[in-house]
Amino acid sequence: MDRQEFKDKLQKKIEGNLQDDLIQHIEARFNSFEQLLRYFLAIEKKYEPENIITQGLPQILNNIEGTITDKESENLLGTYLSAVNKISKTFPNKEVWKQNEERFIVQQQDSVWVAIGKRSKSTFRSVAKLGFRAVQSQKNIFGGNKKAYPKWEQEIPLNKVVSYPLLDNESVLEWGHTLQRIQLNLIRDIEELLVQEREVQKEFDIPTFVSDQKNRLEEEKKDLLKKVKQVISSKHTQIVRDVEKVGTLEWRSKFFDDNRLQVKEEYIRNRFKSQKEQWQFVQRLFFERTKDVVQFLKLRSEIEKEIEEFKVSFEDIFQQSLKKPLQEFLTDLEISIEKIGQRATLDELKTLHENLAGFVEERLIQPIQKLLDKQILEDKTEHLFEDLLLKVGQSPQEVQLVFGTQLDKNPPTVNQEEVEWRQLVVRALRELFMKPLQPSNQQQEEFLSQNLSEIIEIKKIISVNFESALEARDEEVAEKEDPTKVVREALQRILSKVLELNEQAGKKWEQINNAIDKGSEKFFSSLLALLHEGDSKQLQRLNAKYAVKEKTNDWHAVLDSRWASIQDQLMLWSRFIWKKAKKYGADIKVALGFKTSTIQASKRADIATYLSETDSKMKELPYIYRRLFDFKSLADKQFFKPAQESTMTFRRSYEQWKNQFPTNFSVVGEKGSGKSSFLSLVVDSELGEEQVETVEFVKTIWEEDQLLSKIAAVLKVESPQTIEELVATIKESDNRKVVVIESIQNCFIRDINGFKAIEKLAYLISETRENIFWMVSCSRYAWSFLDKILQISEYFSHISKSDSLNEEQIEQIILSRHQASGYSLHFEPDDQIMQSRTYRKIKGQEHEVQEHLKEEYFEKLTRLAEGNPSIAMIFWIRSIREFDENYFYIQPLEVTSVEMIEDLNPQVLFALAAFVLHDTLSDSELAMVLNVKLEESRLLLNRLRSRGMLIEKNGSFTINHLMYRQIIRVLKERNIIHLG
């Protein structure tokens, strides 16, 4: 292969293979970008403008996500290297050419050593030529053939010489940067479109956006293809120029070995891979941010819909209760003034009086009074807040904020920060939207009360003036004293008042409407700006609104912290001595009479104070907080956390029953431990389409016929005479079903004849386990008692405890509810904790201090609650010292409950023990249990109710749940109740 043939073939291969493959790849990439733009046009045609964000954009994002893959990103380099490899294989591994004369001439760009080598080479060649000519001259004399001096040769590994400069190509990396940047810019432009259009409340101008993007892509493609062709052309020139040097003094053939080429290829692959990974990382961050923006815009759309519905409803209340009646009253007043001016008759005056007074009462006073009494406006506002919090609860838990970007670099660099987005959105919603709209801030009650007082005054004016006019209508009086004229003037004054009230109502609605619009816009714009721009300062400003004012760590705090460390070391040496000193010091105090005596306060007053404080604390809490921590109602499924293994135990039992094995299930626990919530949860989540019947024993029964009528009614068995007949009927039926029985502790009474119902119930469950899957709940102490009396556990195959929650579960139950409120927590230490070594070590480090206090608090709370979630919630509420717009301040737990009822007499204690066993008892039932007269039982119940230990409901009494833990502890200490 000569030089010209090589040049022609090289040009053909580079342009036909390498250049064409690159152009084809680039055009394919740009086609994928344009395809995304076509998707944009398609969603505009397919979806209504209001559905583009919620339905259309997720499809676009899915397609964009498909382009951010390793395969797509690596194709450019793969295409390039594959083409280079194909080109190199078309050239021989070894080719010998005659060196051109210029290889012997020193060039200006030659290095010193190359120049010396060329001169030496030229000198040697000149000497060799002289010798060769002398030899040829002698041959010519003797008749031999004269030959020309042979040219020097160069051995060239053409395939490697072609590959080497092509592998040494920085332009491939630049082309990769260009394609990646186009993709990144497309993602950013989509996000920019979403943000900018929504900021000005415009519909998306997708055709303009697509047109602009297509024009930009076309320009970028032309520019990139131009650069590719220029680089490929320059590489062709370079190879043609460099190949002449190979195999000469300038560039030895051995330089082009396989190892060197492999190293260069690995080098460019590694660089391309590293840059690709950084590009993908940045693109992924911006893509996820775009998805978060779409999610937020979707949330915005949903919230705006809720707000719009609220505004319509709220304005309708204003219209129906204020504006419309006032308008109608204005019309009536004008008509009345006109009639009175025409010398109305007595009957007409009476009719006007009745109509106006009736209208004021029915259409003005009563609606406003209803708004005030039922707090309709406040309730609607609270319900809006609740609905919005539920919407916001669908936001991502966390998002990555992107900031500090350097997008001009290749590849770009960014900073990121993970933030608790959902909590931030809840806080911002509450601070920027809900707070200004609060009824107290809008002074709605004051406005309505003021309107009501003025309307009542109007009614009085009407009554006084009309009554005077009616009494003096037939008397002869002067014109200026005409009672009819007085009424007319009074109505004109009323007209002015009503006009003013109407104007005030309009202004009040405008004020509320502006608060809604400004609050929502501020909420959306601030969070959208934070999400879109990733402004870390904006994040700090938002967080600063909710941060606790921490104490400054001045030199006093530093000194105190260091002194605490020194004391910590001293305490290690002095602990033993100190313990002994305390022991002997206490004995000395007792001996000398200095020991502090226990203050015996009135237990009645203490209980009343305790209950009053708890009730007051609940009423002071925000509306959403009261809902979240309502321990009287069934737990919300998203916050309900059953005890460990409870669900698995139920599943094993139910699956065995489904497989024809006679099993049943019972859940046992203290009052308020979530037995009913657990049963409701598993019925909904585990039983599917199973036929489920529910029996709840609200009041105490103990006779067989009471049990029989209740069960037979639920099972739809007609008039069985005995439990045995009911059992026979159930066994004859082929219909298998599930029966839930709640509160079987109410199926007996602690009397010698009070166990018939529970015995028959145990028999019924035992005999029909194959036909009915029985699920029962029972209080913990009643179960323990029945186990000793009837061995109740023997009748149930699977038993679960609902009041065995551990510290982690108690903490989760409390904090999951609290976090849903959007408030933050600040735990406060007591004196004992502040003196502890652990606390003193971390003093001054707020985060560590709060974690330590939280751990201490929940450890103590778990011990006090003894695994009972509702008891834990009561103690939690009592621990709230105060709260502000952003924080709940939690003080250490107070353990003063046992002392409040420690002086109760035995009869009272046994009565309370009866309520612990039975949950609910009437006066007659308690008389049976205690074996006392009915009057004595009633007197005892009234005393306990007046002290707050019992509450009455539907003729029966039960323990006040706020006093449940204190009563249980006293009864345990007196050994009146215990668990076997």
Side-chain angles (χ1 to χ4, degrees):
M1 180 181 293
D2 59 20
R3 284 180 169 84
Q4 188 59 44
E5 185 181 356
F6 168 73
K7 291 179 182 178
D8 294 342
K9 185 174 182 180
L10 178 64
Q11 182 175 4
K12 179 180 178 182
K13 291 297 180 183
I14 285 183
E15 291 180 356
N17 287 45
L18 182 58
Q19 182 172 294
D20 288 351
D21 288 356
L22 288 174
I23 291 174
Q24 185 178 358
H25 173 77
I26 291 171
E27 288 181 343
R29 290 298 300 275
F30 275 91
N31 286 339
S32 68
F33 299 148
E34 292 175 359
Q35 179 62 39
L36 295 179
L37 297 178
R38 287 193 287 271
Y39 286 142
F40 258 91
L41 289 176
I43 64 171
E44 186 197 33
K45 297 176 181 178
K46 184 176 180 181
Y47 299 102
E48 296 296 328
E50 62 271 15
N51 296 328
I52 288 179
I53 287 181
T54 57
Q55 300 177 26
L57 284 175
Q59 292 185 9
I60 296 295
L61 296 180
N62 289 335
N63 286 292
I64 293 176
E65 190 169 20
T67 65
I68 309 176
T69 61
D70 291 346
K71 182 179 178 182
E72 288 293 335
S73 301
E74 195 168 325
N75 265 350
L76 177 66
L77 182 62
T79 299
Y80 183 83
L81 294 178
S82 176
V84 169
N85 184 47
K86 290 178 182 178
I87 292 173
S88 67
K89 288 181 179 180
T90 62
F91 292 93
N93 186 39
K94 181 180 178 181
E95 189 71 42
V96 178
W97 286 352
K98 304 296 182 179
Q99 293 189 27
N100 292 326
E101 289 299 322
E102 64 182 19
R103 301 274 64 83
F104 302 93
I105 302 172
V106 177
Q107 303 292 330
Q108 186 176 0
Q109 67 270 19
D110 290 340
S111 65
V112 174
W113 294 108
V114 171
I116 293 173
K118 281 187 174 183
R119 289 191 180 96
S120 300
K121 181 178 176 182
S122 179
T123 302
F124 179 79
R125 188 167 181 268
S126 298
V127 173
K129 273 185 178 182
L130 290 175
F132 183 81
R133 287 172 182 169
V135 172
Q136 294 302 314
S137 296
Q138 292 178 0
K139 286 184 177 181
N140 191 30
I141 294 173
F142 295 104
N145 293 327
K146 186 178 179 180
K147 296 180 180 180
Y149 181 75
K151 292 185 177 182
W152 286 19
E153 296 178 342
Q154 56 184 127
E155 185 179 298
I156 307 171
L158 280 180
N159 58 343
K160 296 182 176 62
V161 173
V162 170
S163 296
Y164 185 81
L166 292 176
L167 292 176
D168 190 17
N169 193 356
E170 291 288 329
S171 298
V172 182
L173 303 178
E174 294 299 325
W175 301 336
H177 290 314
T178 300
L179 290 174
Q180 297 285 9
R181 186 173 300 283
I182 291 171
Q183 183 165 279
L184 176 61
N185 288 339
L186 182 57
I187 295 172
R188 294 178 60 219
D189 288 346
I190 291 173
E191 181 181 333
E192 195 69 31
L193 170 72
L194 299 175
V195 173
Q196 288 183 354
E197 296 295 317
R198 295 304 292 167
E199 281 181 348
V200 296
Q201 296 293 305
K202 289 168 51 181
E203 293 184 359
F204 298 113
D205 189 358
I206 291 179
T208 301
F209 172 77
V210 171
S211 176
D212 293 342
Q213 289 293 322
K214 281 186 175 181
N215 293 335
R216 183 177 64 82
L217 287 175
E218 190 63 32
E219 291 296 325
E220 289 172 334
K221 183 170 74 170
K222 289 170 60 176
D223 184 59
L224 181 56
L225 291 177
K226 181 180 178 181
K227 290 179 179 178
V228 169
K229 292 176 181 178
Q230 289 174 346
V231 170
I232 295 301
S233 177
S234 67
K235 283 298 177 182
H236 174 265
T237 303
Q238 178 187 351
I239 293 171
V240 170
R241 183 182 66 247
D242 290 348
V243 75
E244 296 293 344
K245 301 178 183 179
V246 180
T248 69
L249 181 66
E250 298 174 70
W251 212 346
R252 298 190 178 277
S253 299
K254 293 182 179 180
F255 178 84
F256 299 94
D257 58 6
D258 291 333
N259 185 58
R260 188 181 300 278
L261 292 175
Q262 184 178 355
V263 169
K264 288 188 72 63
E265 183 175 339
E266 287 298 322
Y267 176 72
I268 194 171
R269 282 187 185 276
N270 290 336
R271 287 188 62 191
F272 194 88
K273 180 181 179 182
S274 174
Q275 293 174 358
K276 173 204 67 177
E277 290 174 350
Q278 178 63 17
W279 271 108
Q280 284 187 326
F281 170 71
V282 174
Q283 288 177 354
R284 177 61 61 183
L285 282 179
F286 277 94
F287 176 70
E288 291 298 330
R289 189 176 78 173
T290 302
K291 286 172 59 177
D292 291 334
V293 167
V294 171
Q295 180 71 20
F296 185 73
L297 292 178
K298 181 179 178 182
L299 173 66
R300 174 174 184 164
S301 178
E302 293 174 353
I303 289 180
E304 285 177 340
K305 183 177 180 181
E306 292 283 347
I307 292 175
E308 190 59 35
E309 291 177 356
F310 168 78
K311 285 171 63 175
V312 171
S313 176
F314 208 86
E315 185 178 16
D316 184 62
I317 292 176
F318 256 75
Q319 288 289 344
Q320 298 300 324
S321 302
L322 290 171
K323 294 277 292 179
K324 187 176 180 180
L326 287 173
Q327 289 285 358
E328 293 175 0
F329 190 49
L330 282 172
T331 303
D332 290 348
L333 285 174
E334 291 171 350
I335 294 173
S336 299
I337 291 171
E338 184 179 352
K339 283 187 176 181
I340 293 174
Q342 297 173 356
R343 303 289 297 178
T345 64
L346 182 62
D347 291 336
E348 288 175 337
L349 282 178
K350 288 181 180 179
T351 302
L352 284 175
H353 181 208
E354 291 174 358
N355 291 341
L356 291 175
F359 186 93
V360 171
E361 178 64 32
E362 295 176 6
R363 299 282 287 118
L364 291 174
I365 294 179
Q366 289 181 7
I368 296 177
Q369 191 66 57
K370 182 180 179 181
L371 291 179
L372 285 169
D373 292 343
K374 295 188 176 182
Q375 296 184 320
I376 293 175
L377 299 181
E378 290 86 342
D379 288 346
K380 290 196 73 66
T381 306
E382 286 183 345
H383 289 151
L384 172 66
F385 294 169
E386 180 184 354
D387 292 340
L388 295 187
L389 285 173
L390 291 175
K391 294 287 185 185
V392 169
Q394 302 170 9
S395 302
Q397 184 72 32
E398 297 170 338
V399 299
Q400 295 284 350
L401 290 187
V402 181
F403 62 95
T405 59
Q406 294 182 344
L407 301 181
D408 294 335
K409 294 177 63 177
N410 283 329
T413 59
V414 297
N415 293 323
Q416 67 191 78
E417 180 179 356
E418 187 174 75
V419 297
E420 295 181 357
W421 180 249
R422 184 184 300 170
Q423 188 179 49
L424 188 63
V425 175
V426 170
R427 288 174 170 177
L429 178 69
R430 187 161 46 83
E431 177 71 20
L432 301 178
F433 178 73
M434 296 181 178
K435 181 181 175 182
L437 199 59
Q438 287 284 355
S440 57
N441 291 332
Q442 292 296 324
Q443 297 180 327
Q444 294 175 6
E445 186 174 352
E446 292 85 346
F447 168 76
L448 292 175
S449 298
Q450 180 65 29
N451 271 262
L452 183 61
S453 63
E454 293 189 22
I455 291 173
I456 291 174
E457 181 180 349
I458 287 173
K459 183 181 179 182
K460 291 180 180 178
I461 294 172
I462 291 173
S463 298
V464 170
N465 283 273
F466 268 95
E467 288 173 1
S468 300
L470 290 173
E471 291 175 358
R473 184 68 179 84
D474 295 329
E475 298 179 5
E476 293 183 2
V477 293
E479 179 68 22
K480 64 178 180 179
E481 296 175 348
D482 184 2
T484 304
K485 183 180 178 182
V486 173
V487 170
R488 186 179 62 200
E489 291 176 351
L491 292 181
Q492 288 173 339
R493 291 194 299 271
I494 292 173
L495 183 65
S496 299
K497 284 181 174 290
V498 174
L499 285 170
E500 185 177 350
L501 289 175
N502 191 43
E503 183 180 357
Q504 289 176 358
K507 289 181 178 179
K508 173 56 68 174
W509 167 244
E510 185 177 353
Q511 174 188 336
I512 295 172
N513 189 48
N514 288 338
I516 294 172
D517 292 341
K518 291 179 180 179
S520 61
E521 181 57 32
K522 192 174 182 181
F523 163 68
F524 290 123
S525 60
S526 61
L527 285 178
L528 193 58
L530 174 63
L531 188 61
H532 174 58
E533 299 168 8
D535 189 349
S536 57
K537 293 183 179 179
Q538 171 73 357
L539 176 63
Q540 293 172 1
R541 285 193 294 269
L542 284 173
N543 280 332
K545 295 181 179 181
Y546 317 110
V548 177
K549 294 181 179 179
E550 299 179 0
K551 297 180 179 178
T552 306
N553 287 327
D554 53 13
W555 66 273
H556 295 285
V558 175
L559 181 62
D560 188 45
S561 179
R562 292 183 178 177
W563 174 241
S565 299
I566 297 172
Q567 285 182 315
D568 182 52
Q569 298 297 322
L570 294 175
M571 286 174 66
L572 291 174
W573 294 96
S574 61
R575 182 179 296 172
F576 177 76
I577 299 173
W578 174 244
K579 286 177 67 177
K580 293 297 182 182
K582 281 181 67 178
K583 180 179 182 302
Y584 295 128
D587 294 339
I588 293 172
K589 280 185 177 181
V590 172
L592 297 178
F594 292 120
K595 185 177 181 181
T596 305
S597 59
T598 304
I599 299 176
Q600 297 291 336
S602 169
K603 299 304 179 290
R604 183 188 301 271
D606 285 343
I607 294 173
T609 302
Y610 175 85
L611 295 174
S612 175
E613 287 176 352
T614 306
D615 188 57
S616 175
K617 190 86 70 174
M618 281 294 296
K619 290 180 179 178
E620 292 172 359
L621 294 175
Y623 172 78
I624 189 65
Y625 217 83
R626 294 198 306 271
R627 279 206 59 178
L628 289 169
F629 285 91
D630 184 6
F631 54 84
K632 297 177 183 178
S633 62
L634 282 179
D636 193 312
K637 292 179 182 179
Q638 63 176 316
F639 300 120
F640 180 65
K641 301 296 177 186
Q644 292 178 342
E645 302 299 326
S646 293
T647 305
M648 292 302 300
T649 301
F650 172 81
R651 286 175 181 168
R652 286 195 297 269
S653 175
Y654 179 63
E655 287 172 3
Q656 290 175 8
W657 182 78
K658 291 288 285 184
N659 293 326
Q660 307 301 319
F661 193 82
T663 61
N664 50 28
F665 176 80
S666 66
V667 57
V668 179
E670 285 188 336
K671 180 179 181 180
S673 62
K675 301 185 294 295
S676 295
S677 296
F678 177 76
L679 291 177
S680 175
L681 176 69
V682 295
V683 165
D684 292 340
S685 62
E686 304 292 336
L687 298 186
E689 300 298 324
E690 193 76 61
Q691 182 181 354
V692 180
E693 306 291 350
T694 302
V695 182
E696 182 177 5
F697 292 100
V698 179
K699 294 186 177 182
T700 301
I701 65 169
W702 61 92
E703 295 290 352
E704 178 182 355
D705 58 343
Q706 295 174 304
L707 175 70
L708 186 62
S709 61
K710 188 92 172 180
I711 300 292
V714 171
L715 297 180
K716 298 179 177 60
V717 178
E718 295 184 1
S719 306
Q721 299 302 311
T722 63
I723 290 293
E724 287 75 9
E725 288 186 18
L726 180 60
V727 169
T729 303
I730 293 173
K731 286 184 174 182
E732 291 173 359
S733 174
D734 295 331
N735 185 19
R736 304 181 88 216
K737 64 178 65 176
V738 177
V739 176
V740 179
I741 301 182
E742 294 198 37
S743 305
I744 66 169
Q745 68 270 9
N746 288 330
C747 291
F748 78 99
I749 193 164
R750 192 170 179 176
D751 182 78
I752 191 171
N753 297 315
F755 296 95
K756 296 176 183 177
I758 191 65
E759 288 174 344
K760 291 297 184 179
L761 178 61
Y763 171 76
L764 172 65
I765 291 173
S766 176
E767 289 295 314
T768 59
R769 288 195 298 182
E770 294 183 356
N771 304 84
I772 295 177
F773 182 69
W774 297 94
M775 299 166 55
V776 306
S777 67
C778 184
S779 70
R780 172 193 261 202
Y781 301 99
W783 185 270
S784 178
F785 175 76
L786 291 172
D787 218 16
K788 294 175 182 177
I789 301 299
L790 302 175
Q791 291 77 46
I792 192 72
S793 297
E794 300 296 329
Y795 294 92
F796 290 90
S797 61
H798 294 76
I799 303 171
S800 174
K801 294 182 179 179
S802 63
D803 56 359
S804 58
L805 301 185
N806 56 30
E807 180 181 342
E808 180 181 352
Q809 291 170 311
I810 290 290
E811 180 177 343
Q812 190 176 7
I813 283 174
I814 298 296
L815 293 187
S816 63
R817 284 170 163 78
H818 173 82
Q819 289 167 357
S821 71
Y823 288 88
S824 293
L825 283 176
H826 184 74
F827 291 90
E828 299 175 339
D830 56 15
D831 293 338
Q832 183 179 357
I833 293 178
M834 292 176 69
Q835 296 301 320
S836 68
R837 290 191 299 123
T838 304
Y839 181 83
R840 290 155 68 86
K841 285 180 181 178
I842 60 177
K843 192 174 182 180
Q845 304 173 44
E846 184 62 23
H847 179 73
E848 287 77 4
V849 167
Q850 285 299 304
E851 286 297 318
H852 173 65
L853 294 177
K854 182 175 76 171
E855 183 179 342
E856 290 280 335
Y857 178 89
F858 281 106
E859 181 181 349
K860 192 173 184 179
L861 178 63
T862 304
R863 292 199 304 269
L864 288 175
E866 298 181 12
N868 191 328
S870 64
I871 299 297
M873 286 193 282
I874 292 173
F875 279 114
W876 173 262
I877 290 169
R878 284 191 55 81
S879 299
I880 299 172
R881 180 177 61 81
E882 64 175 355
F883 62 91
D884 55 27
E885 299 169 352
N886 311 303
Y887 271 83
F888 271 68
Y889 298 90
I890 307 300
Q891 61 188 356
L893 285 166
E894 296 178 352
V895 188
T896 58
S897 54
V898 173
E899 289 77 5
M900 288 192 292
I901 54 175
E902 65 179 356
D903 65 343
L904 300 178
N905 60 48
Q907 186 183 38
V908 171
L909 291 175
F910 282 114
L912 292 174
F915 280 100
V916 171
L917 287 181
H918 296 290
D919 266 6
T920 61
L921 289 172
S922 64
D923 50 3
S924 59
E925 292 162 353
L926 180 62
M928 289 179 61
V929 174
L930 299 181
N931 195 23
V932 297
K933 295 180 179 179
L934 182 60
E935 292 77 8
E936 189 176 347
S937 171
R938 289 175 178 171
L939 181 61
L940 180 58
L941 288 173
N942 288 331
R943 290 204 331 259
L944 292 176
R945 181 179 57 179
S946 64
R947 298 183 67 175
M949 296 184 191
L950 299 181
I951 57 176
E952 184 180 6
K953 186 176 181 181
N954 299 328
S956 296
F957 293 81
T958 187
I959 292 176
N960 186 342
H961 201 52
L962 297 177
M963 296 294 299
Y964 185 76
R965 176 58 68 231
Q966 294 86 339
I967 291 172
I968 291 293
R969 284 192 180 150
V970 169
L971 295 178
K972 283 183 177 180
E973 289 177 359
R974 304 295 176 85
N975 203 29
I976 295 176
I977 65 169
H978 51 84
L979 299 175

